[in-house]
Amino acid sequence: MTSILQPITATDLTASRYRGAWTHTAQGEPRGYVDFQRLKELWIHTGTACNLACPFCLEGSRPGDDRLNAMQLDDVRDYLNEAVELGVEQFSFTGGEPFVIKRFIDILTYASQLRPCFVLTNATDPLLRRTHQLLPLKDNPYPIRFRVSLDYPDAARHDIDRGEGSFAKALEGIRWLHDNGFDVSIARQMTTDEDSAQVEADFREIFRREGISDDLAFTAFPDFGTPGEEDGSPEITEGCMEKYPTDESRAHFMCSYSRMLVKQNGQVRVYACTLVDDDPDYGASGSLRESLDTRVMLRHHRCFSCYRFGASCSAP
Protein backbone atom coordinates (compact mmCIF):
# COMPACT_ATOMS: atom_id res chain seq x y z
CA MET A 1 0.00 0.00 0.00
CA THR A 2 1.44 3.38 -0.98
CA SER A 3 0.72 6.70 0.65
CA ILE A 4 -1.10 9.86 -0.31
CA LEU A 5 1.97 11.66 1.07
CA GLN A 6 3.97 13.15 -1.79
CA PRO A 7 5.68 16.41 -2.73
CA ILE A 8 3.11 18.88 -4.11
CA THR A 9 4.32 22.13 -5.63
CA ALA A 10 2.51 25.44 -5.23
CA THR A 11 1.54 25.27 -8.91
CA ASP A 12 0.14 21.78 -8.51
CA LEU A 13 -2.02 22.92 -5.62
CA THR A 14 -3.96 25.18 -7.96
CA ALA A 15 -4.71 22.33 -10.35
CA SER A 16 -8.20 20.85 -10.05
CA ARG A 17 -6.87 17.28 -9.85
CA TYR A 18 -5.26 18.06 -6.50
CA ARG A 19 -8.27 19.72 -4.95
CA GLY A 20 -9.79 17.68 -2.19
CA ALA A 21 -9.79 17.09 1.54
CA TRP A 22 -6.04 16.42 1.60
CA THR A 23 -4.97 19.71 0.02
CA HIS A 24 -7.91 22.06 0.64
CA THR A 25 -10.18 22.90 3.53
CA ALA A 26 -13.94 22.39 3.45
CA GLN A 27 -14.20 26.02 2.32
CA GLY A 28 -11.85 25.36 -0.61
CA GLU A 29 -8.87 27.25 0.80
CA PRO A 30 -5.37 25.81 0.31
CA ARG A 31 -4.55 23.85 3.42
CA GLY A 32 -1.57 24.68 5.62
CA TYR A 33 1.41 22.37 5.30
CA VAL A 34 4.84 21.61 6.71
CA ASP A 35 7.84 20.51 4.65
CA PHE A 36 10.39 18.19 6.17
CA GLN A 37 13.68 19.78 7.29
CA ARG A 38 15.95 17.16 8.86
CA LEU A 39 15.55 13.95 10.83
CA LYS A 40 16.22 14.73 14.48
CA GLU A 41 13.96 12.10 16.03
CA LEU A 42 12.55 8.72 15.06
CA TRP A 43 9.61 7.44 17.10
CA ILE A 44 8.80 3.75 17.39
CA HIS A 45 5.25 2.87 18.34
CA THR A 46 5.45 -0.36 20.31
CA GLY A 47 1.75 -1.16 19.80
CA THR A 48 -1.56 -0.21 21.40
CA ALA A 49 -1.55 -2.97 24.03
CA CYS A 50 -1.46 -1.49 27.54
CA ASN A 51 -2.00 -2.66 31.09
CA LEU A 52 -4.43 0.24 31.63
CA ALA A 53 -7.63 1.25 29.80
CA CYS A 54 -7.80 5.03 30.17
CA PRO A 55 -10.97 6.33 28.48
CA PHE A 56 -9.20 9.49 27.26
CA CYS A 57 -6.25 7.65 25.67
CA LEU A 58 -5.34 9.26 22.35
CA GLU A 59 -4.39 5.80 21.04
CA GLY A 60 -7.41 3.96 22.44
CA SER A 61 -5.01 1.59 24.19
CA ARG A 62 -6.15 -1.12 26.59
CA PRO A 63 -5.14 -4.64 27.62
CA GLY A 64 -4.84 -6.91 24.58
CA ASP A 65 -5.53 -4.14 22.05
CA ASP A 66 -4.08 -4.77 18.58
CA ARG A 67 -5.15 -1.77 16.51
CA LEU A 68 -1.42 -1.17 16.20
CA ASN A 69 0.57 -4.40 16.39
CA ALA A 70 3.34 -5.16 18.87
CA MET A 71 6.72 -4.12 17.47
CA GLN A 72 9.70 -6.48 17.53
CA LEU A 73 13.39 -5.87 16.94
CA ASP A 74 13.32 -7.59 13.55
CA ASP A 75 10.63 -5.10 12.48
CA VAL A 76 12.69 -2.02 13.24
CA ARG A 77 16.39 -2.92 13.08
CA ASP A 78 16.88 -1.77 9.47
CA TYR A 79 14.93 1.44 10.11
CA LEU A 80 17.09 2.25 13.14
CA ASN A 81 20.25 1.74 11.10
CA GLU A 82 18.85 3.82 8.25
CA ALA A 83 17.94 6.61 10.68
CA VAL A 84 21.52 6.72 11.94
CA GLU A 85 22.71 7.11 8.33
CA LEU A 86 20.27 10.02 8.00
CA GLY A 87 21.70 11.76 11.06
CA VAL A 88 18.99 11.00 13.61
CA GLU A 89 19.70 12.39 17.08
CA GLN A 90 17.26 10.39 19.23
CA PHE A 91 15.06 7.30 19.23
CA SER A 92 11.78 7.69 21.10
CA PHE A 93 9.25 5.06 22.12
CA THR A 94 5.54 5.24 22.84
CA GLY A 95 2.54 2.93 23.07
CA GLY A 96 0.28 1.60 24.52
CA GLU A 97 2.65 0.80 27.30
CA PRO A 98 6.03 -0.19 25.84
CA PHE A 99 6.92 -2.51 28.71
CA VAL A 100 3.81 -4.63 28.09
CA ILE A 101 5.55 -5.83 24.92
CA LYS A 102 7.50 -8.94 25.89
CA ARG A 103 10.58 -8.24 23.74
CA PHE A 104 10.57 -4.45 23.91
CA ILE A 105 13.74 -4.63 25.95
CA ASP A 106 15.50 -6.11 22.90
CA ILE A 107 14.62 -3.03 20.85
CA LEU A 108 15.70 -0.68 23.63
CA THR A 109 18.98 -2.56 24.07
CA TYR A 110 19.79 -2.27 20.35
CA ALA A 111 18.66 1.35 20.00
CA SER A 112 20.63 2.60 23.02
CA GLN A 113 23.81 1.33 21.39
CA LEU A 114 23.16 3.72 18.49
CA ARG A 115 21.61 6.91 19.88
CA PRO A 116 20.08 8.37 23.07
CA CYS A 117 16.63 6.96 23.79
CA PHE A 118 13.44 8.40 25.25
CA VAL A 119 10.63 6.18 26.57
CA LEU A 120 7.05 7.19 27.41
CA THR A 121 5.62 4.95 30.12
CA ASN A 122 3.06 4.82 32.91
CA ALA A 123 5.85 3.38 35.13
CA THR A 124 3.53 0.90 36.81
CA ASP A 125 3.71 -2.90 36.99
CA PRO A 126 5.01 -3.63 33.45
CA LEU A 127 8.06 -1.44 34.03
CA LEU A 128 8.56 -2.51 37.64
CA ARG A 129 8.64 -6.15 36.56
CA ARG A 130 11.52 -5.38 34.16
CA THR A 131 13.83 -3.36 36.38
CA HIS A 132 16.37 -6.18 36.32
CA GLN A 133 16.46 -5.86 32.51
CA LEU A 134 16.79 -2.08 32.57
CA LEU A 135 19.74 -1.84 34.94
CA PRO A 136 22.29 -3.40 32.53
CA LEU A 137 21.31 -0.86 29.85
CA LYS A 138 22.92 1.90 31.88
CA ASP A 139 26.24 0.54 30.55
CA ASN A 140 25.21 1.01 26.91
CA PRO A 141 26.89 3.81 24.94
CA TYR A 142 23.87 6.13 25.01
CA PRO A 143 21.54 7.13 27.87
CA ILE A 144 17.87 6.24 28.22
CA ARG A 145 15.50 8.77 29.73
CA PHE A 146 11.87 8.33 30.67
CA ARG A 147 8.73 10.41 30.78
CA VAL A 148 6.07 9.12 33.15
CA SER A 149 2.36 9.86 32.82
CA LEU A 150 1.01 11.38 36.02
CA ASP A 151 -2.17 13.20 35.10
CA TYR A 152 -3.01 15.34 38.13
CA PRO A 153 -1.45 16.16 41.53
CA ASP A 154 -4.37 14.33 43.12
CA ALA A 155 -4.27 10.56 43.50
CA ALA A 156 -8.05 10.12 43.55
CA ARG A 157 -8.55 12.19 40.40
CA HIS A 158 -5.72 10.41 38.61
CA ASP A 159 -7.02 6.97 39.59
CA ILE A 160 -10.58 7.61 38.35
CA ASP A 161 -9.43 6.92 34.79
CA ARG A 162 -6.22 4.94 35.30
CA GLY A 163 -7.42 2.57 38.01
CA GLU A 164 -7.23 2.44 41.77
CA GLY A 165 -3.68 2.50 43.08
CA SER A 166 -2.12 3.54 39.76
CA PHE A 167 -0.97 6.93 41.13
CA ALA A 168 0.93 5.29 43.98
CA LYS A 169 2.35 2.68 41.62
CA ALA A 170 3.56 5.38 39.21
CA LEU A 171 5.29 7.16 42.08
CA GLU A 172 7.02 3.88 42.90
CA GLY A 173 8.22 3.62 39.31
CA ILE A 174 9.40 7.25 39.25
CA ARG A 175 11.30 6.71 42.50
CA TRP A 176 13.00 3.56 41.19
CA LEU A 177 14.03 5.22 37.90
CA HIS A 178 15.39 8.32 39.60
CA ASP A 179 17.16 6.42 42.38
CA ASN A 180 18.86 4.22 39.79
CA GLY A 181 20.26 7.13 37.81
CA PHE A 182 17.77 7.44 34.94
CA ASP A 183 16.62 10.89 33.86
CA VAL A 184 12.87 11.22 34.51
CA SER A 185 10.27 13.83 33.55
CA ILE A 186 6.50 14.00 33.97
CA ALA A 187 3.67 14.16 31.41
CA ARG A 188 0.56 15.73 32.91
CA GLN A 189 -2.88 16.71 31.69
CA MET A 190 -3.55 20.36 30.82
CA THR A 191 -6.89 21.77 31.96
CA THR A 192 -8.77 24.88 30.84
CA ASP A 193 -7.83 28.08 32.69
CA GLU A 194 -5.40 26.23 34.95
CA ASP A 195 -2.78 27.92 37.10
CA SER A 196 0.15 25.98 35.66
CA ALA A 197 2.63 27.16 38.28
CA GLN A 198 0.34 26.06 41.09
CA VAL A 199 -0.35 22.69 39.49
CA GLU A 200 3.35 21.94 39.21
CA ALA A 201 3.98 23.25 42.74
CA ASP A 202 1.37 20.77 43.98
CA PHE A 203 3.19 17.96 42.15
CA ARG A 204 6.50 18.98 43.69
CA GLU A 205 5.00 18.94 47.16
CA ILE A 206 3.84 15.37 46.56
CA PHE A 207 7.31 14.42 45.32
CA ARG A 208 8.98 15.88 48.41
CA ARG A 209 6.54 14.07 50.66
CA GLU A 210 7.25 10.78 48.86
CA GLY A 211 11.02 11.16 48.94
CA ILE A 212 11.28 11.86 45.20
CA SER A 213 13.34 14.65 43.70
CA ASP A 214 11.21 17.78 43.26
CA ASP A 215 13.18 19.15 40.29
CA LEU A 216 11.61 16.89 37.65
CA ALA A 217 10.57 18.64 34.43
CA PHE A 218 6.95 18.68 33.23
CA THR A 219 5.26 18.53 29.85
CA ALA A 220 1.56 19.46 29.83
CA PHE A 221 -0.71 18.07 27.11
CA PRO A 222 -4.17 19.17 25.99
CA ASP A 223 -6.92 16.63 25.38
CA PHE A 224 -6.14 15.16 21.95
CA GLY A 225 -9.30 13.05 21.79
CA THR A 226 -9.55 9.35 21.04
CA PRO A 227 -8.71 7.65 17.69
CA GLY A 228 -11.03 8.60 14.84
CA GLU A 229 -12.68 11.33 16.87
CA GLU A 230 -13.36 14.71 15.27
CA ASP A 231 -13.43 17.56 17.78
CA GLY A 232 -14.47 20.40 15.49
CA SER A 233 -11.08 22.12 15.61
CA PRO A 234 -10.54 24.94 13.09
CA GLU A 235 -8.87 23.96 9.85
CA ILE A 236 -5.37 25.31 9.23
CA THR A 237 -4.97 27.24 5.98
CA GLU A 238 -1.89 28.55 4.21
CA GLY A 239 -2.87 31.94 5.57
CA CYS A 240 -2.78 30.59 9.12
CA MET A 241 0.78 29.43 8.53
CA GLU A 242 1.96 33.01 8.03
CA LYS A 243 2.39 32.88 11.79
CA TYR A 244 5.30 30.49 11.10
CA PRO A 245 7.01 32.04 8.05
CA THR A 246 10.52 30.54 8.36
CA ASP A 247 12.00 27.06 8.49
CA GLU A 248 13.10 27.79 12.03
CA SER A 249 9.62 28.75 13.16
CA ARG A 250 8.05 25.79 11.35
CA ALA A 251 10.28 23.49 13.40
CA HIS A 252 7.56 24.19 15.98
CA PHE A 253 5.77 21.26 14.27
CA MET A 254 7.05 17.74 14.94
CA CYS A 255 6.47 16.67 11.36
CA SER A 256 9.31 18.98 10.26
CA TYR A 257 11.90 16.93 12.13
CA SER A 258 10.45 13.55 13.15
CA ARG A 259 8.80 10.41 11.84
CA MET A 260 7.15 7.43 13.56
CA LEU A 261 7.22 3.71 12.81
CA VAL A 262 3.91 1.91 13.24
CA LYS A 263 3.06 -1.75 12.66
CA GLN A 264 -0.41 -2.33 11.22
CA ASN A 265 -1.74 -5.59 9.84
CA GLY A 266 1.75 -7.04 10.15
CA GLN A 267 3.39 -4.30 8.05
CA VAL A 268 5.62 -1.48 9.29
CA ARG A 269 4.64 1.93 7.97
CA VAL A 270 6.20 5.36 8.43
CA TYR A 271 3.89 8.05 9.78
CA ALA A 272 4.33 11.81 9.80
CA CYS A 273 4.21 12.15 13.59
CA THR A 274 2.99 10.53 16.81
CA LEU A 275 -0.55 11.96 16.70
CA VAL A 276 -1.97 10.93 13.31
CA ASP A 277 -1.75 7.13 13.17
CA ASP A 278 -5.56 6.86 13.16
CA ASP A 279 -5.56 8.33 9.63
CA PRO A 280 -3.99 5.98 7.06
CA ASP A 281 -3.42 8.86 4.63
CA TYR A 282 -0.55 9.97 6.85
CA GLY A 283 1.25 6.63 6.59
CA ALA A 284 3.74 5.54 3.95
CA SER A 285 5.16 2.15 3.14
CA GLY A 286 8.72 1.79 1.96
CA SER A 287 11.93 3.15 3.41
CA LEU A 288 12.33 5.85 5.98
CA ARG A 289 14.35 7.89 3.49
CA GLU A 290 11.48 7.84 0.98
CA SER A 291 9.05 9.09 3.62
CA LEU A 292 11.07 12.25 4.19
CA ASP A 293 10.45 13.60 0.70
CA THR A 294 6.95 14.68 1.60
CA ARG A 295 4.77 17.70 2.21
CA VAL A 296 2.63 17.06 5.26
CA MET A 297 -0.77 18.69 4.97
CA LEU A 298 -2.13 19.83 8.33
CA ARG A 299 -5.46 18.10 7.91
CA HIS A 300 -5.76 16.07 11.10
CA HIS A 301 -7.73 17.78 13.86
CA ARG A 302 -4.80 17.18 16.24
CA CYS A 303 -2.65 19.37 14.00
CA PHE A 304 -4.55 22.34 15.43
CA SER A 305 -3.45 21.43 18.95
CA CYS A 306 0.18 21.57 17.79
CA TYR A 307 -0.57 24.82 15.95
CA ARG A 308 -2.10 26.36 19.05
CA PHE A 309 -0.08 24.91 21.91
CA GLY A 310 3.17 23.81 20.32
CA ALA A 311 3.07 20.56 22.27
CA SER A 312 6.09 18.46 21.35
CA CYS A 313 5.88 14.82 22.27
CA SER A 314 9.64 14.80 22.85
CA ALA A 315 9.82 17.77 25.24
CA PRO A 316 11.33 18.44 27.68
Side-chain angles (χ1 to χ4, degrees), residues 106-162:
D106 294 342
I107 302 176
L108 193 56
T109 299
Y110 188 86
S112 59
Q113 296 177 49
L114 301 174
R115 288 294 186 269
C117 293
F118 182 45
V119 182
L120 309 191
T121 176
N122 59 44
T124 59
D125 287 333
L127 180 145
L128 291 167
R129 286 195 295 265
R130 299 187 185 280
T131 54
H132 65 289
Q133 295 175 314
L134 282 173
L135 282 175
L137 302 192
K138 292 176 61 180
D139 296 328
N140 277 7
Y142 294 96
I144 303 169
R145 61 191 179 100
F146 295 83
R147 187 167 70 211
V148 177
S149 298
L150 206 61
D151 298 328
Y152 308 105
D154 180 314
R157 188 178 181 190
H158 174 95
D159 288 359
I160 287 172
D161 288 329
R162 291 189 179 263

Side-chain angles (χ1 to χ4, degrees), residues 33-45:
Y33 62 85
V34 173
D35 285 329
F36 190 79
Q37 295 181 31
R38 67 186 182 93
L39 186 65
K40 294 174 59 178
E41 182 175 28
L42 179 64
W43 284 84
I44 296 89
H45 200 301

Side-chain angles (χ1 to χ4, degrees), residues 45-50 59-62 65-69 95-97:
H45 200 301
T46 60
T48 45
C50 186
E59 293 289 30
S61 300
R62 60 187 186 277
D65 191 87
D66 196 41
R67 180 179 73 84
L68 303 182
N69 310 149
E97 167 53 47

Side-chain angles (χ1 to χ4, degrees), residues 213-247:
S213 173
D214 65 357
D215 63 353
L216 305 184
F218 291 89
T219 301
F221 287 101
D223 182 3
F224 286 119
T226 54
E229 180 181 73
E230 288 293 341
D231 63 4
S233 294
E235 294 190 280
I236 303 170
T237 67
E238 280 192 4
C240 295
M241 294 302 290
E242 291 175 2
K243 182 178 179 181
Y244 303 99
T246 66
D247 284 348

Side-chain angles (χ1 to χ4, degrees), residues 87-307:
V88 73
E89 297 175 10
Q90 176 174 288
F91 295 124
S92 300
F93 302 88
T94 187
E97 167 53 47
F99 289 98
V100 164
I101 307 306
K102 184 178 295 186
R103 306 307 303 180
F104 169 61
I105 203 73
D106 294 342
I107 302 176
L108 193 56
T109 299
Y110 188 86
S112 59
Q113 296 177 49
L114 301 174
R115 288 294 186 269
C117 293
F118 182 45
V119 182
L120 309 191
T121 176
N122 59 44
T124 59
D125 287 333
L127 180 145
L128 291 167
R129 286 195 295 265
R130 299 187 185 280
T131 54
H132 65 289
Q133 295 175 314
L134 282 173
L135 282 175
L137 302 192
K138 292 176 61 180
D139 296 328
N140 277 7
Y142 294 96
I144 303 169
R145 61 191 179 100
F146 295 83
R147 187 167 70 211
V148 177
S149 298
L150 206 61
D151 298 328
Y152 308 105
D154 180 314
R157 188 178 181 190
H158 174 95
D159 288 359
I160 287 172
D161 288 329
R162 291 189 179 263
E164 184 176 356
S166 61
F167 189 87
K169 188 69 72 169
L171 290 178
E172 182 182 348
I174 292 168
R175 184 184 298 106
W176 184 89
L177 288 167
H178 187 270
D179 288 352
N180 284 279
F182 292 102
D183 185 26
V184 186
S185 62
I186 304 299
R188 68 173 185 85
Q189 296 286 335
M190 180 189 299
T191 58
T192 305
D193 300 325
E194 69 174 24
D195 181 342
S196 300
Q198 185 59 55
V199 170
E200 294 179 9
D202 292 343
F203 270 113
R204 296 187 198 286
E205 175 58 31
I206 292 171
F207 295 157
R208 285 191 291 270
R209 188 169 67 241
E210 295 293 327
I212 297 171
S213 173
D214 65 357
D215 63 353
L216 305 184
F218 291 89
T219 301
F221 287 101
D223 182 3
F224 286 119
T226 54
E229 180 181 73
E230 288 293 341
D231 63 4
S233 294
E235 294 190 280
I236 303 170
T237 67
E238 280 192 4
C240 295
M241 294 302 290
E242 291 175 2
K243 182 178 179 181
Y244 303 99
T246 66
D247 284 348
E248 182 179 3
S249 63
R250 291 198 178 203
H252 165 97
F253 293 88
M254 286 184 62
C255 50
S256 73
Y257 62 83
S258 70
R259 288 292 184 264
M260 181 171 76
L261 303 180
V262 166
K263 188 176 180 182
Q264 296 170 295
N265 301 316
Q267 179 187 15
V268 177
R269 307 184 75 206
V270 184
Y271 270 77
C273 86
T274 60
L275 300 174
V276 296
D277 60 63
D278 58 343
D279 184 343
D281 285 347
Y282 280 95
S285 58
S287 74
L288 177 61
R289 190 184 304 272
E290 291 170 354
S291 79
L292 306 184
D293 187 20
T294 67
R295 172 163 287 178
V296 178
M297 310 308 291
L298 301 178
R299 184 184 73 178
H300 200 287
H301 71 86
R302 289 174 180 164
C303 296
F304 183 74
S305 293
C306 289
Y307 179 87

